[in-house]
Amino acid sequence: MTVYETERLVVRLWTGAQDDLDRMTDIYTRQEVTRWLPPFDGFDAAKAVENWRALHERDRSYGSWAVQVRATGAVAGTVLFRPIPGGGGEVEVGWHLHPDSWGNGYATEAARGAVRRGFAAGLPEVYALTMPGNEASMAVCRRLGMSHLGRTRRFFDLEAELFRLPADALGAPDASDAGTARDA
């Protein structure tokens, strides 16, 4: 099921199909990806699909969705848009891409689509959390026009860099953003 589309991407629900499960497992068991995520014990792709579908079904505004490249059909990774666990209602945008998809602007494009979708639904602001030292993700935040609020330990009981974007500050797409979101 398609959640939204951008010029180059189809953002859709992850499925229980073996190719989706294999790709998720490949992404979420790679040290170069997991080093930037809160610690977790093991990864069960089928359970993740179940949990992420449940989140989306409770409120279709939120989810952790597959980012599929329109031209190739390959899944680049995940974009998430959800209330921050343990927060006070703040909504975060995030991205976890396979290393073979890094450097193509997919994280910025998918995140911008999720943020635009949230703002169109009336959300007043969106946050992003990155691990200290994750320069690539902090660059995505800057390309989105987010303001750096500094370090915090408020969420996940981990030190993180906190970024914020108010709805009225989302600018037009820039050269690193290949499209705008179109709800499907």
Side-chain angles (χ1 to χ4, degrees):
M1 174 185 156
T2 299
V3 177
Y4 64 92
E5 297 181 32
T6 69
E7 183 177 326
R8 300 182 301 159
L9 306 172
V10 175
V11 177
R12 62 170 176 79
L13 296 179
W14 282 101
T15 72
Q18 194 61 52
D19 56 340
D20 268 8
L21 297 176
D22 290 346
R23 185 64 168 176
M24 289 175 77
T25 299
D26 191 21
I27 293 167
Y28 289 102
T29 59
R30 289 183 168 271
Q31 190 276 332
E32 61 263 48
V33 174
T34 61
R35 69 183 275 204
W36 303 116
L37 302 177
F40 58 90
D41 291 326
F43 180 75
D44 181 335
K47 187 70 171 168
V49 168
E50 181 182 311
N51 291 339
W52 293 349
R53 278 187 164 294
L55 171 64
H56 183 76
E57 288 172 9
R58 279 192 305 276
D59 185 332
R60 294 193 184 277
S61 300
Y62 304 125
S64 291
W65 305 301
V67 176
Q68 186 169 347
V69 179
R70 185 185 306 278
T72 65
V75 174
T78 300
V79 64
L80 61 91
F81 195 77
R82 65 182 184 188
I84 301 174
E90 301 91 344
V91 173
E92 75 170 319
V93 63
W95 43 89
H96 310 141
L97 271 63
H98 191 285
D100 68 13
S101 296
W102 293 352
N104 295 296
Y106 299 147
T108 303
E109 187 173 336
R112 189 178 303 275
V115 168
R116 286 185 189 276
R117 187 173 179 272
F119 289 162
L123 197 62
E125 60 191 5
V126 171
Y127 293 84
L129 295 160
T130 69
M131 298 297 272
N134 188 343
E135 296 300 329
S137 282
M138 288 188 275
V140 171
C141 292
R142 288 189 293 275
R143 283 192 293 275
L144 292 170
M146 299 182 109
S147 298
H148 184 231
L149 302 179
R151 288 196 179 176
T152 183
R153 289 192 65 85
R154 184 171 169 220
F155 309 103
F156 304 105
D157 196 32
L158 294 171
E159 188 170 55
E161 302 289 348
L162 181 63
F163 292 82
R164 177 181 173 269
L165 181 67
D168 60 2
L170 184 65
D174 62 25
S176 63
D177 177 33
T180 57
R182 298 184 301 265
D183 274 329

